[in-house]
Amino acid sequence: MKKYVPIVAVLVFVKLLIHLIGNQNYGFHRDELLHLSVSEHLAWGYFEFPPFIAFMGKIAHFIFGYSLSGIRFFSTLAGIGILIICCFIARELGGKRNAVLLAGISVLAFLPFYRNHLLFQPVAFDQFFWTLGFYFLVKYFNTKQIKFLVFLGITFGIGLMNKYTILIWGLGVFIGLLFYDKGKLFKNKWLYISGIISFLIFLPNIIWQVNHHFPLILHLKKLKESQLDANGTFDFVIEQIKHPFTFSISFIGLFAYFRDANLKKYKIFGVATVVIFGTMWIMESKAYYFFAIYPILFAAGVVKIEKLLEKKPKWNYVVAAVLLLPALPFLPLAIPVLPIKEYVNYSDSKKLKDGRVELPSDYADMFGWEEQVKLVDSLYQSLPLKEKENCMIWAENYGEAGALEILGKKYHLPNPVCSHGSFWTWGTGKTDGTFCISIGNEKGAVDRVFGDVQLVKIFKHKYAIDEENNIPVYLCRKPKISLNKKWPLLEKYVFE
């Protein structure tokens, strides 16, 4: 593999350069603010996800502070790792120079990876752990060295601590192994030792779930009601074929695992792909959950193509061009490489009657948070000292609360109070809530808690998502009820 390092290095440089440009633009996404907020409250689990992202957030903050590009660099590193491992897998499957090149090009050309590897979310790390797990399986098949089964167990365990969707990966691999060497691997004690290692790594989160009445179940139920039920029967399938050139590579790879004379010994990966796809489709999963499977398919696809073009090797460069060039015009839609005004013109974004601009939801969710925090800070600083000391800042959702928690630090604002998701677990703060600044909560909600409610401003932002436009900011006094006493009763409503 050493002689192919220059090729991989150039591909890594290209991906890194694109992300260095895009990662610094716009602002934190609401989900990033949540993930950074949980890193301020380290635990073995959270209502929305396992703890890995919180530990990564703590490390990122230690190194970079709350620098936008610094925080996002960790997701980008996971994406770079995926590119490198995809190239390594192609080599392990028997590919040579052109296969290694096309493997990296396939990752570069797959546009959804840019968004996935931009945002500080569990998604990028989930894709990394899937790809790494597949790599260790390939290495075990090729070398029969037990250490790769151990590495597989460690990878699966850490992956479980990052995102529960890797359980579906585990199901696919388990069924796939039945087709490898007539299932003889199940007679190997090290496969079970590997499973025990995974379980032990994951055990602290299991205990946390038990102690908190399995909030995962409530979260999945609400996620299905609010998002997944809106998916059409074939939406999951349609999303997979929206990128026809890279999809073609993956489909060739899937076919090769079943039919190619040199690759069908790795049939496990084809079986795993079919099982994972079918399971996610039946479960009405989000389409991007399945994107983690593509590197293992890209690797087989490019090895097959290299073999087909063995007598005409220069055609591999044509394949590379066909993969990469059509993706370039869509790059600004996948990652914010353009300043916002240039992006609006480039994408011909819809202008709304109220002067706002309609952006894709992920981009829109990067705007407005700094301005919200500045508004709350200006109101907080205007309060008399006694009211400041007893002031509670009450946010309606995790985006607003995350902005106040993370961006509010430079203004020395008190941590927000919010009953949404994991924020509920952190309680009602250190003050008695005699005075309150409310952001995002509707009039009816604040009237039920406070007797004196004054509307300060209706917040609007040109680029922000609809949910964060026309939201009220209230100054509240004379509490009618004690939030401290009412708080435990709100647990069942944390995802409302």
Side-chain angles (χ1 to χ4, degrees):
M1 189 67 198
K2 289 182 180 179
K3 62 183 178 180
Y4 304 125
V5 167
I7 297 173
V8 178
V10 170
L11 296 168
V12 165
F13 176 77
V14 172
K15 183 170 179 64
L16 179 60
L17 181 62
I18 292 170
H19 277 279
L20 288 178
I21 296 170
N23 288 8
Q24 63 184 324
N25 287 331
Y26 308 169
F28 282 115
H29 187 282
R30 75 164 64 229
D31 290 352
E32 293 178 299
L33 293 168
L34 170 62
H35 300 142
L36 292 173
S37 294
V38 297
S39 74
E40 295 283 326
H41 306 267
L42 291 181
W44 285 114
Y46 302 95
F47 275 33
E48 302 89 347
F49 37 71
F52 181 83
I53 193 69
F55 289 103
M56 290 304 298
K58 183 63 75 173
I59 294 169
H61 176 253
F62 177 77
I63 298 172
F64 296 111
Y66 285 128
S67 157
L68 180 64
S69 56
I71 295 295
R72 289 176 170 175
F73 184 66
F74 282 79
S75 297
T76 299
L77 280 180
I80 289 172
I82 290 167
L83 187 153
I84 294 172
I85 297 169
C86 185
C87 293
F88 276 45
I89 293 175
R91 182 71 186 101
E92 290 291 328
L93 296 179
K96 297 178 182 178
R97 180 181 183 279
N98 289 322
V100 171
L101 172 66
L102 290 177
I105 291 290
S106 297
V107 173
L108 284 178
F110 189 58
L111 288 168
F113 276 168
Y114 288 100
R115 189 72 54 82
N116 297 157
H117 306 157
L118 162 78
L119 300 177
F120 184 69
Q121 296 178 326
V123 175
F125 304 105
D126 187 48
Q127 294 170 352
F128 174 79
F129 290 127
W130 282 42
T131 307
L132 186 62
F134 281 135
Y135 174 70
F136 287 139
L137 272 175
V138 174
K139 288 293 289 184
Y140 174 75
F141 296 153
N142 289 349
T143 67
K144 296 298 185 292
Q145 293 182 34
I146 296 302
K147 66 179 181 180
F148 292 113
L149 288 180
V150 175
F151 294 158
L152 175 67
I154 294 171
T155 299
F156 187 48
I158 299 174
L160 285 167
M161 294 294 271
N162 172 65
K163 194 171 175 66
Y164 299 120
T165 49
I166 203 170
L167 283 168
I168 301 176
W169 177 88
L171 173 66
V173 168
F174 177 84
I175 295 176
L177 286 175
L178 295 172
F179 294 83
Y180 174 73
D181 199 18
K182 298 180 181 180
K184 288 183 180 179
L185 190 56
F186 287 100
K187 298 178 181 179
N188 188 327
K189 68 178 181 180
W190 284 98
L191 180 65
Y192 301 97
I193 293 173
S194 175
I196 292 171
I197 292 171
S198 299
F199 175 77
L200 291 176
I201 293 172
F202 187 44
L203 183 59
N205 184 248
I206 297 175
I207 295 172
W208 186 93
Q209 287 284 340
V210 171
N211 291 339
H212 291 79
H213 319 298
F214 287 97
L216 170 64
I217 296 174
L218 178 61
H219 186 228
L220 290 176
K221 179 182 176 183
K222 292 300 180 182
L223 182 66
K224 188 175 187 300
E225 291 174 357
S226 63
Q227 297 183 34
L228 302 184
D229 282 349
N231 293 342
T233 304
F234 295 100
D235 286 356
F236 181 81
V237 180
I238 292 170
E239 285 295 321
Q240 308 307 322
I241 60 178
K242 277 188 174 180
H243 308 278
F245 298 112
T246 46
F247 176 77
S248 298
I249 299 294
S250 65
F251 190 79
I252 292 170
L254 180 61
F255 177 83
Y257 282 132
F258 286 105
R259 304 298 299 173
D260 183 83
N262 296 317
L263 291 173
K264 63 182 180 182
K265 63 182 177 181
Y266 303 106
K267 185 190 293 185
I268 167 185
F269 302 125
V271 173
T273 298
V274 173
V275 171
I276 292 168
F277 180 86
T279 303
M280 286 188 170
W281 191 5
I282 291 169
M283 294 178 64
E284 299 178 315
S285 299
K286 295 180 180 180
Y288 69 82
Y289 291 175
F290 188 70
F291 293 166
I293 202 75
Y294 283 114
I296 191 67
L297 299 178
F298 290 158
V302 298
V303 170
K304 180 65 175 178
I305 289 172
E306 182 185 53
K307 185 68 175 176
L308 291 172
L309 298 176
E310 192 171 22
K311 295 181 180 179
K312 297 180 179 180
K314 291 184 179 179
W315 280 90
N316 286 284
Y317 299 108
V318 175
V319 174
V322 170
L323 284 171
L324 197 56
L325 295 180
L328 294 180
F330 298 96
L331 196 60
L333 309 180
I335 183 171
V337 291
L338 297 178
I340 186 59
K341 290 183 180 179
E342 293 181 23
Y343 170 81
V344 169
N345 293 330
Y346 182 85
S347 63
D348 195 24
S349 299
K350 183 179 179 181
K351 313 294 194 301
L352 304 178
K353 291 181 179 179
D354 59 359
R356 292 175 53 229
V357 177
E358 190 175 81
L359 298 176
S361 59
D362 274 343
Y363 281 1
D365 247 336
M366 298 178 195
F367 288 95
W369 307 116
E370 187 73 45
E371 290 80 2
Q372 284 187 17
V373 174
K374 285 181 179 178
L375 174 59
V376 170
D377 177 63
S378 66
L379 185 55
Y380 180 76
Q381 298 303 335
S382 70
L383 296 176
L385 181 59
K386 185 177 180 180
E387 291 191 356
K388 272 188 188 179
E389 291 174 349
N390 294 286
C391 182
M392 175 181 73
I393 301 178
W394 178 20
E396 191 272 335
N397 63 51
Y398 74 83
E400 296 152 3
L404 290 162
E405 174 101 13
I406 301 305
L407 304 179
K409 290 190 181 304
K410 60 188 173 186
Y411 300 100
H412 306 291
L413 290 172
N415 285 340
V417 171
C418 179
S419 61
H420 196 184
S422 290
F423 278 92
W424 173 84
T425 63
W426 306 324
T428 57
K430 298 179 180 179
T431 71
D432 58 12
T434 306
F435 304 97
C436 173
I437 298 172
S438 164
I439 181 166
N441 297 290
E442 297 299 328
K443 184 71 159 57
V446 292
D447 279 342
R448 284 193 293 272
V449 181
F450 293 94
D452 181 0
V453 175
Q454 174 190 351
L455 177 64
V456 177
K457 189 171 183 177
I458 298 294
F459 178 83
K460 299 179 181 180
H461 192 283
K462 183 177 182 178
Y463 299 119
I465 199 166
D466 284 347
E467 184 182 344
E468 298 302 328
N469 261 290
N470 297 307
I471 61 170
V473 177
Y474 294 103
L475 183 59
C476 311
R477 298 179 174 88
K478 299 180 181 178
K480 298 178 181 178
I481 61 174
S482 169
L483 273 181
N484 281 323
K485 293 180 180 178
K486 185 178 177 61
W487 206 251
L489 303 176
L490 300 178
E491 183 177 5
K492 66 178 77 171
Y493 305 109
V494 293
F495 294 118
E496 297 293 337

